[in-house]
Amino acid sequence: MTSRSFLRLALAGAVASGAVTLAALPADASRPPRTVPVRLLALNDFHGNLEPPTGSSGRMVDEHGDTVDAGGAAYVATHMKALADENTIAVAQGDLIGATPLISAAYHDEPSVEFLGKLGLEVAAVGNHEFDEGYAELRRIMKGGCHPVDGCSPAGEWKGAKFDYVGANVLFKNRHEKTDALAALGGSDSAKVKQALSGWGVPALPPVSIKWMNGVPIGFIGLVTQTTPGIVSSEGIKDLTFVDEVKAANVASKLLRLVGVKAQVVLVHEGDQVNQGQSPDACSAVPGAGNRIATQVDPEIDVVLSGHSHQAYVCTVKDPAGGDRLFSQGGSFGRVITQVDMKVNARTRDIDRASIVADNHVVTRTVTADPEISAFVQTWKDRVAPVANKAVGTITADITNTAAPSGESPLGNLIADAQLAATRTGGNAQIALMNPGGVRASLSHASSPAGEGDGVVTYGEAFTVQPFNNLMQVVTLTGAQLKTVLEQQFTGGPNNQAFTKILQPSANFTYTYTDSAPWGSKVSDMKIDGTPVTDTQTVRVAANNFLVGGGDAFLAFRDGTDVWSGPLDIDAFVDHLGKDNPIAPPATDRITVTG
């Protein structure tokens, strides 16, 4: 094996021949320092919002403290063109696809990835939602080909993403490259590479991407939250493991250094919450998982651009060597573009951190929408319109996903009722439980986009509520196991629930929880159709495959037996919306809360 081919293996195809060229061209110390400009323009958590997002998802606090309408692909394109110059590299921090509106989701997000290619995106970290349909589907999106079940979209055979997806902490579980054979390489370079790869494993995705700008190489390291296995369906990632972000970043940083890349940027799909209402350019982030990564990754890394938490902030943090390092994020849904200007020393090939200036630009809709992208979005809107505008039911009033004091929401309860109705026959379900994070929007009583009149719910509106295409399943749990599932709603237990997540119960299932009780003793008085549930009885519980696989840290679901699979969750919801019309908002009285 040659050193050239080994370096290609080490970088998982990310840099190809450019890597060896870099290593072979060390900086000339006799040349005087000269800096060259580089501009990064970054997006995160786009979630396929080709059309301008609505409601609170389509508004943003700007630099002046005003709340303005923001987002929409055609407006993103206009702002990007205004901000880009000859020194620009466009990047992204994950969740570009997944949990998307029907205009994108109906075609497995090919329209959104095509738009991002038109936008000039060059490198993107994977987010957890890139794995919503599994690793194999992500690879198809990256490389091309028609969907194995639904076939080609109206645009024809998918050609693949025009940008690089990177994920240094996404590894195969059961594949190991033997480094013993690398001894044949000889020399110190081989030893350094072996040391850098020690304990890492085999990347399932390219860990890095190298882009040249103004004669200098810029290395981009991709990372995704290590909590991904708990927030996506387990079947699609069963062959993958998601390792600690800091460890993976440090290995990737060493590999970049080995091929002469000193200007290093982390694109990480993990971030922090903020103190609300502040300017997108303020350092309003409350230190959390994102800050841990930003402050602990190798000092060689100059910039950390984040995502996942859907917040906007621009912060300066300290790296492990005490140097200043940029840590920022740009909201979500295409409402903010992060601009980072910096200078790179052409002799040392490193970023002058004192030169870094970051600015979060709100994607306002007061500019002229880009005509090419407007036409592109309209084409896909027309293609999906017959499905999106089909009326599927009527409601008497708004049915919201806003939680009551018990943690239930009217819409969450309605979905649980729909799931129970869809799984009684065949699955013999007795109750249903719905994860609140899967209820993505409210149902409005106002006129639908198709203009059918007040109270009409269209398929497109229903899909916006339930966009994941999860499979409905039914498992058998004992009463004691069911109680454990409910205890796992709360923090403080061995399942490491990050924050309280109240499952939405079907109408025939009631119980009480006590806030002040210790974990393991919070839940009591469980009843099905008014009859108390005992520890030893068996209960057929309906839930989506995400929950059944232990998603959202509900690990006790994995103890279920006799798994039965039924319809998609969206089909169950749409079928229920078409019955007993008009539907009134369900009461939120299924859970009783005591002090």
Side-chain angles (χ1 to χ4, degrees):
M1 178 186 291
T2 66
S3 60
R4 181 186 182 97
S5 62
F6 174 70
L7 285 170
R8 284 182 173 177
L9 171 63
L11 296 176
V15 295
S17 59
V20 176
T21 302
L22 289 170
L25 295 174
D28 182 356
S30 66
R31 292 167 55 193
R34 180 177 64 88
T35 59
V36 294
V38 176
R39 172 171 293 181
L40 307 180
L41 294 179
L43 283 174
N44 60 275
D45 297 272
F46 182 64
H47 287 289
N49 277 267
L50 296 173
E51 297 182 90
T54 59
S56 61
S57 296
R59 295 190 290 270
M60 196 76 197
V61 176
D62 68 10
E63 296 88 341
H64 308 292
D66 299 324
T67 300
V68 299
D69 291 336
Y75 297 106
V76 171
T78 296
H79 282 273
M80 285 285 282
K81 286 181 178 179
L83 293 172
D85 61 17
E86 66 275 11
N87 308 310
T88 296
I89 303 172
V91 300
Q93 296 96 266
D95 277 11
L96 304 177
I97 60 176
T100 52
L102 187 63
I103 187 176
S104 182
Y107 305 105
H108 299 280
D109 287 324
E110 291 174 19
S112 291
V113 179
E114 184 178 356
F115 157 69
L116 293 163
K118 290 177 178 291
L119 201 64
L121 186 65
E122 296 189 52
V123 189
V126 289
N128 54 284
H129 280 286
E130 264 78 15
F131 295 92
D132 279 351
E133 294 190 53
Y135 174 69
E137 172 62 6
L138 172 59
R139 295 288 299 180
R140 186 189 73 84
I141 288 294
M142 293 168 63
K143 301 299 183 182
C146 295
H147 191 272
V149 175
D150 295 335
C152 294
S153 81
E157 183 175 355
W158 174 239
K159 303 301 183 184
K162 292 183 178 179
F163 53 90
D164 301 334
Y165 260 128
V166 287
N169 65 325
V170 185
L171 310 179
F172 288 113
K173 279 183 179 177
N174 299 313
R175 297 189 196 178
H176 302 282
E177 294 290 338
K178 299 295 185 181
T179 57
D180 303 27
L182 303 178
L185 291 172
S188 59
D189 286 346
S190 174
K192 288 178 181 179
V193 171
K194 287 172 66 177
Q195 183 179 6
L197 288 172
S198 176
W200 191 16
V202 181
L205 296 167
V208 302
S209 176
I210 296 173
K211 301 298 177 183
W212 285 82
M213 178 57 62
N214 292 321
V216 296
I218 312 295
F220 296 94
I221 300 168
L223 302 169
V224 61
T225 174
Q226 64 179 313
T227 67
T228 295
I231 50 179
V232 303
S233 295
S234 58
E235 180 63 23
I237 58 168
K238 62 184 179 181
D239 297 325
L240 306 179
T241 185
F242 295 78
V243 302
D244 179 78
E245 304 95 341
V246 173
K247 176 183 176 182
N250 291 349
V251 171
S253 176
K254 290 178 182 178
L255 287 171
L256 286 173
R257 287 203 300 273
L258 284 173
V259 293
V261 180
K262 296 180 180 180
Q264 299 183 8
V265 177
V266 158
L267 307 174
V268 55
H269 191 71
E270 181 63 280
D272 291 338
Q273 297 302 317
V274 300
N275 295 310
Q276 295 293 327
Q278 298 192 39
S279 164
D281 291 324
C283 183
S284 54
V286 178
N291 182 272
R292 180 188 77 88
I293 297 165
T295 57
Q296 293 183 15
V297 293
D298 196 289
E300 188 73 40
I301 293 166
D302 302 287
V303 174
V304 176
L305 304 181
S306 66
H308 191 49
S309 60
H310 290 204
Q311 306 301 333
Y313 48 80
V314 177
C315 295
T316 299
V317 298
K318 295 294 184 182
D319 68 20
D324 287 341
R325 180 153 60 196
L326 174 66
F327 170 48
S328 71
Q329 187 178 164
S332 61
F333 307 144
R335 294 176 295 167
V336 174
I337 297 169
T338 303
Q339 174 183 334
V340 181
D341 286 313
M342 55 194 181
K343 294 186 182 301
V344 182
N345 187 306
R347 181 170 60 83
T348 66
R349 292 179 176 155
D350 209 351
I351 294 171
D352 176 6
R353 294 197 193 179
S355 72
I356 297 175
V357 178
D359 188 3
N360 272 337
H361 298 276
V362 175
V363 178
T364 60
R365 301 179 199 164
T366 55
V367 298
T368 301
D370 183 89
E372 178 190 354
I373 299 302
S374 293
F376 173 80
V377 173
Q378 187 61 49
T379 295
W380 287 102
K381 188 175 179 180
D382 292 342
R383 286 168 173 167
V384 81
V387 175
N389 294 334
K390 181 181 178 181
V392 296
T394 57
I395 55 178
T396 64
D398 290 351
I399 305 181
T400 73
N401 61 347
T402 303
S406 65
E408 306 165 71
S409 73
L411 189 51
N413 284 355
L414 179 65
I415 291 171
D417 292 342
Q419 294 181 347
L420 178 59
T423 54
R424 282 190 185 274
T425 301
N428 299 315
Q430 296 169 267
I431 65 170
L433 296 170
M434 173 64 192
N435 55 307
V439 187
R440 304 297 286 191
S442 297
L443 285 179
S444 173
H445 185 260
S447 295
S448 70
E452 286 89 350
D454 286 351
V456 172
V457 178
T458 65
Y459 184 88
E461 291 169 325
F463 190 89
T464 300
V465 172
Q466 289 255 267
F468 293 109
N469 280 313
N470 284 322
L471 195 66
M472 286 310 306
Q473 295 185 315
V474 183
V475 294
T476 298
L477 297 173
T478 66
Q481 289 170 332
L482 176 58
K483 182 180 183 298
T484 299
V485 167
L486 298 180
E487 291 286 344
Q488 289 179 342
Q489 297 174 122
F490 306 100
T491 59
N495 59 320
N496 292 318
Q497 188 66 271
F499 52 88
T500 296
K501 298 176 184 175
I502 300 299
L503 297 172
Q504 314 291 286
S506 54
N508 65 331
F509 180 54
T510 60
Y511 67 93
T512 297
Y513 73 79
T514 304
D515 268 328
S516 60
W519 194 94
S521 301
K522 288 181 176 292
V523 175
S524 62
D525 198 27
M526 297 188 302
K527 293 180 180 179
I528 300 175
D529 296 317
T531 301
V533 176
T534 68
D535 284 350
T536 57
Q537 78 177 86
T538 58
V539 182
R540 293 288 286 167
V541 181
N544 58 50
N545 62 290
F546 168 69
L547 279 176
V548 170
D552 270 349
F554 288 97
L555 305 183
F557 261 115
R558 297 179 181 176
D559 297 327
T561 59
D562 302 320
V563 179
W564 175 87
S565 295
L568 294 175
D569 54 3
I570 180 60
D571 293 339
F573 186 42
V574 166
D575 185 64
H576 194 68
L577 286 170
K579 297 175 180 177
D580 300 324
N581 284 181
I583 297 172
T588 51
D589 59 358
R590 303 171 186 184
I591 302 172
T592 301
V593 183
T594 64

